[in-house]
Amino acid sequence: MAVRALFSIFGVQGDDPDLVKAQYAAFSKQIPLMYFILLVNSWGLAATHIAIAPAFLTIYIPAFLTLVCAVRILYWWIEGLRPTADLDALRALRKANALSWVLAAAFAAWGLCLAPYGEMLHRSHVAFYMGITVIGCIFCLSHLLSAALAVTVIVSLAFAAYFGMTGNLVFIAMAVDLVLVSAAMIAVLSVQYRDFLALISSKRTLLALNEENKLLANQDSLTSMPNRRRFFAELESDHQADHHAGHQVGHHPDSLDRHAICVGLIDLDGFKPVNDIFGHGTGDDLLIQVADRLLRLGGWGPEGEDRPANQTFFARLGGDEFGYITRQGGLAAAVDIGTAVCAALAEPFLIADARIELSASIGIAALSPTDATVASVYERADHALYESKRQGRGEVVVFSKEHGEAFARLLTIERAFGKHNYEDEVSLVYQPIVDMASGRLVAFEALARWYSPTLGHVSPAEFIPAAERSGFINPLTRLLLRRALEDALTWPAGIRLSFNLSARDVSSGEQALRLLNIVLASGVAPQRVEFEITETAILADMSQARTVALMFKAAGVGIALDDFGTGYSSLTHLHEMPLDKLKIDRSFVNGIDGNSTGKKIVKSMLRMCADLDIGCVIEGIETRAEYETVKALGGPLAQGYFLSRPLSADKALALAAADAPLAAAPEVMLAS
Ligand code: C2E
Ligand code: MG
Ligand code: MG
């Protein structure tokens, strides 16, 4: 036990490699200084004794010891040049520790051998030499406490033994002094050494925390997949690499396609309802399983290791959106991965006894060496994803030239819309909605118009999506609603206002509340106002759309489902939403007079509305024949160019004030 304790005091502990390395680094820096002190002091002593002591003591032995020291200095110098990875720090420290005993004994013995020569002053020099040198050396050895201790023990014992025996009171006092000072120094050094250990360990903790932070900052906490930040960092580094390579391969005609880095964006269809129906816990489990399936396709783990070039990088970008990057095989490979993803996610998921079916929409775009930033490729992939969602479900869409043109147009519109003061450039027109039985006007649908100084007239089918993308839609809707209500206030009290809302107006509870306040403050009775919403808006977030619709209804505002039949036309929407009206899309009416299937469809839609006890507007009636056919089927309300094109506010007011039947003499209205 005692031997082991002694060994642990005088030995070098090797169980902590980090500590050994830090000790080595600090120690090796101070070692040349220690040899310098040792040699200067020793030659100083040799010089004062050269005339009175034999040459082997004043020249040969110091020369030999100097040689040994020189070899050690050389050794430390060479070690310092070696790469740190090759160092055997523990061995070097243990060697230094062992050598400290030998050298301390050798130098102490040599010093004491000179003590008998000369007079009192010479002996005092020996004592001074031993005392001052041991203190200097202990300081330099502070990072190898065992060696410092060894030197202290040997020199102090030798000093005390020799000078204590002289019987000279001055020397005895010196011996006591040296022992006490050395002991005090060792005590101070051991406190310092403990601080050094604590510093190393806190540095290590800090590094570990840093690593963990880095990992967390780049990892999605739910699925442990790389997150959005990591996805963009990865894309950025690929872009940099591609940029350099692009200058070499860029001229080859098909080099872009085969070498292009591609981005795929995955959006889960049908995830929102899962959250709504089964709760967020199940939604989370589902996302974890989705991530699992994706990673199995890519084979690339999230542990932060470097990604092999031939593997796909998958990441969760947020919510139910995932993304991937391919580095090899160009667009063809990216499409293959996309198809595999669709197939993998089409397999039903089993979560807590529930069988959940999903599908994925995927948009893909290739990085081009001319792309200034990675944001461009992401935007193109996002646009392709948007197209994929529009086309239907479970589709892979590659960003094409045509998409490029449409996208460029969208961006132009977006920019033009944002740049100018759109308040002065947008206006409203009003299209009559007519009661088919009486042929009389019952409502106007407000339709937005935009005249851009640079682009001319732009259709709302183009600028409303641009306003949605760039975030202008909510203030735009509020502005238009205020103006529409101002106009409606001038109409006879029996004429209602139908007003279109965008999906973004319905998805925000705050915006819905503001719209309602505008209606309530307008002076127009809420019962005269109807909001038209599309199926897409309902589908984006069913429960939110329902909440908002209920709020409108409670205030007396009506809700109409616009463009019915063009979206997913799910009967659940009819059932779950508090609807007052359906607006049957004009595609069903087009040529209905000569089309028996079309007639049957419209007839069954009309019956459904009657059964559900909700109103029905048939949109897009362009000819008398269509009008008569729909009327014969029992259509209650109608809208279309045959009855009237959208009218300016003044003309709308004149029409409302005239209170004449429209359907009776539609040619008059067509001329307006
Ligand atoms: P919507 O709400 O279904 O409006 C009917 C669209 O069909 C209008 O086009 C109208 O001019 C057009 N239309 C009416 N009768 C006929 C017809 O007999 N034949 C044909 N071919 N078309 C007819 P518009 O004004 O270009 O609006 C297009 C869409 O833009 C609207 O479809 C609506 O979804 C949206 N929109 C228009 N104004 C607004 C608005 O103020 N806010 C929002 N969020 N969307 C709006
Ligand atoms: Mg509408
Ligand atoms: Mg419509």
Side-chain angles (χ1 to χ4, degrees):
M1 243 353 234
V3 175
R4 196 177 294 169
L6 218 61
F7 190 78
S8 80
I9 293 174
F10 288 105
V12 182
Q13 302 305 311
D15 37 11
D16 185 342
D18 286 341
L19 175 63
V20 171
K21 262 195 207 117
Q23 224 177 336
Y24 177 91
F27 179 72
S28 61
K29 263 189 221 119
Q30 290 176 354
I31 253 335
L33 184 64
M34 184 197 78
Y35 281 118
F36 177 76
I37 293 172
L38 187 59
L39 291 178
V40 166
N41 288 1
S42 301
W43 281 109
L45 185 67
T48 55
H49 285 71
I50 199 143
I52 45 174
F56 77 92
L57 275 180
T58 54
I59 295 172
Y60 301 122
I61 290 183
F64 173 72
L65 289 175
T66 303
L67 193 69
V68 174
C69 292
V71 169
R72 288 300 292 163
I73 291 173
L74 202 68
Y75 165 84
W76 284 107
W77 184 69
I78 292 171
E79 281 291 282
L81 294 180
R82 281 219 271 166
T84 3
D86 296 349
L87 278 178
D88 189 348
L90 185 62
R91 236 187 69 175
L93 288 181
R94 288 203 164 134
K95 221 194 268 174
N97 194 44
L99 208 65
S100 67
W101 291 88
V102 179
L103 284 180
F107 275 94
W110 171 72
L112 292 180
C113 286
L114 285 175
Y117 297 95
E119 28 183 294
M120 198 53 95
L121 202 58
H122 288 103
R123 298 181 106 190
S124 302
H125 189 184
V126 171
F128 178 76
Y129 160 76
M130 287 182 73
I132 202 77
T133 308
V134 77
I135 287 169
C137 289
I138 292 173
F139 250 121
C140 294
L141 290 172
S142 62
H143 288 105
L144 192 61
L145 200 60
S146 51
L149 211 59
V151 171
T152 310
V153 168
I154 288 181
V155 178
S156 308
L157 281 183
F159 190 101
Y162 184 88
F163 288 102
M165 303 282 212
T166 55
N168 183 317
L169 204 60
V170 175
F171 285 132
I172 291 170
M174 276 186 181
V176 172
D177 218 20
L178 185 70
V179 170
L180 285 179
V181 170
S182 304
M185 285 216 16
I186 288 293
V188 170
L189 286 185
S190 51
V191 169
Q192 259 180 26
Y193 187 69
R194 223 175 299 142
D195 289 348
F196 175 71
L197 292 186
L199 192 76
I200 301 295
S201 118
S202 69
K203 211 163 146 188
R204 186 167 32 197
T205 319
L206 206 69
L207 278 176
L209 273 176
N210 236 347
E211 273 307 301
E212 202 179 306
N213 273 347
K214 222 163 87 187
L215 197 69
L216 283 179
N218 286 294
Q219 185 179 303
D220 173 54
S221 56
L222 177 68
T223 60
S224 302
M225 255 187 157
N227 63 7
R228 191 180 188 86
R229 172 206 287 256
R230 180 74 204 274
F231 179 82
F232 277 100
E234 199 73 18
L235 194 56
E236 187 59 51
S237 83
D238 282 345
H239 180 234
Q240 299 293 341
D242 196 44
H243 204 68
H244 294 303
H247 295 303
Q248 293 142 32
V249 297
H251 299 297
H252 199 273
D254 65 359
S255 60
L256 174 68
D257 191 41
R258 273 190 292 111
H259 294 279
I261 286 155
C262 293
V263 171
L265 298 182
I266 308 167
D267 196 275
L268 304 182
D269 304 315
F271 176 74
K272 272 229 156 76
V274 172
N275 252 349
D276 291 346
I277 297 166
F278 298 100
H280 286 268
T282 306
D284 285 355
D285 287 347
L286 182 60
L287 289 173
I288 292 169
Q289 286 200 21
V290 166
D292 212 46
R293 289 190 191 181
L294 292 182
L295 287 182
R296 245 182 278 150
L297 284 177
W300 188 86
E303 294 80 25
E305 75 253 40
D306 281 339
R307 168 164 62 107
N310 60 350
Q311 287 191 355
T312 311
F313 175 84
F314 281 99
R316 179 175 175 220
L317 304 179
D320 60 348
E321 197 185 332
F322 294 82
Y324 62 88
I325 306 171
T326 55
R327 282 202 237 173
Q328 277 186 354
L331 280 169
V335 170
D336 285 348
I337 297 279
T339 315
V341 167
C342 285
L345 299 185
E347 293 288 317
F349 292 82
L350 291 174
I351 295 166
D353 293 339
R355 192 183 139 98
I356 295 169
E357 303 216 359
L358 276 187
S359 62
S361 297
I362 298 182
I364 294 172
L367 189 74
S368 139
T370 56
D371 278 335
T373 66
V374 294
S376 340
V377 65
Y378 179 83
E379 279 195 347
R380 287 198 299 273
D382 195 37
H383 189 75
L385 174 65
Y386 171 76
E387 286 297 323
S388 157
K389 284 214 142 276
R390 232 169 46 109
Q391 280 177 21
R393 304 174 148 222
E395 293 279 324
V396 178
V397 171
V398 176
F399 188 84
S400 66
K401 218 174 122 207
E402 292 73 45
H403 292 146
E405 283 155 13
F407 190 48
R409 167 96 180 145
L410 184 71
L411 288 182
T412 314
I413 291 173
E414 213 177 290
R415 243 170 267 140
F417 197 77
K419 206 180 286 172
H420 300 282
N421 192 1
Y422 65 82
E423 294 187 18
D424 299 334
E425 293 166 11
V426 291
S427 59
L428 282 169
V429 290
Y430 298 94
Q431 190 178 29
I433 297 173
V434 171
D435 173 65
M436 289 185 115
S438 64
R440 284 180 190 281
L441 173 75
V442 291
F444 282 115
E445 175 177 3
L447 294 164
R449 294 291 175 262
W450 176 37
Y451 180 78
S452 151
T454 49
L455 303 170
H457 287 287
V458 182
S459 155
E462 285 194 307
F463 75 78
I464 294 286
E468 282 174 348
R469 259 179 65 99
S470 51
F472 286 113
I473 190 68
N474 290 353
L476 176 66
T477 305
R478 295 198 297 270
L479 173 83
L480 292 174
L481 180 61
R482 253 184 237 113
R483 289 193 189 164
L485 287 162
E486 271 170 32
D487 288 335
L489 207 55
T490 63
W491 304 337
I495 308 294
R496 296 162 57 90
L497 167 73
S498 221
F499 187 86
N500 293 287
L501 294 188
S502 131
R504 297 280 180 100
D505 296 316
V506 181
S507 64
S508 147
E510 192 200 335
Q511 166 76 353
L513 204 63
R514 291 173 85 165
L515 293 175
L516 189 59
N517 280 335
I518 291 173
V519 174
L520 296 178
S522 69
V524 177
Q527 290 74 15
R528 282 178 64 198
V529 179
E530 194 155 73
F531 283 139
E532 296 188 11
I533 51 183
T534 58
E535 284 190 293
T536 344
I538 297 179
L539 210 74
D541 190 342
M542 183 81 186
S543 65
Q544 171 71 10
R546 208 178 115 79
T547 312
V548 164
L550 283 173
M551 181 178 81
F552 288 148
K553 258 195 99 105
V557 176
I559 309 286
L561 185 60
D562 204 356
D563 304 342
F564 185 72
T566 53
Y568 305 113
S569 305
S570 153
L571 292 180
T572 37
H573 303 161
L574 300 182
H575 187 64
E576 289 192 21
M577 291 293 291
L579 295 174
D580 297 286
K581 216 171 261 153
L582 274 195
K583 294 190 78 177
I584 296 177
D585 191 69
R586 69 164 183 267
S587 54
F588 295 98
V589 181
N590 194 357
I592 193 172
D593 42 308
N595 177 345
S596 61
T597 322
K599 256 183 253 178
K600 278 185 194 151
I601 294 176
V602 172
K603 200 174 163 184
S604 70
M605 284 186 185
L606 289 173
R607 173 146 350 115
M608 188 174 68
C609 289
D611 289 348
L612 292 169
D613 196 23
I614 54 178
C616 184
V617 181
I618 296 162
E619 290 189 284
I621 296 176
E622 291 185 348
T623 65
R624 178 172 287 279
E626 285 170 3
Y627 181 79
E628 296 301 344
T629 311
V630 173
K631 192 175 173 186
L633 289 174
L637 298 169
Q639 187 181 1
Y641 291 171
F642 170 69
L643 295 159
S644 170
R645 288 197 173 250
L647 306 168
S648 67
D650 293 343
K651 284 186 176 162
L653 177 60
L655 179 71
D659 193 27
L662 271 88
E667 294 76 11
V668 179
M669 299 322 303
L670 267 174
S672 64

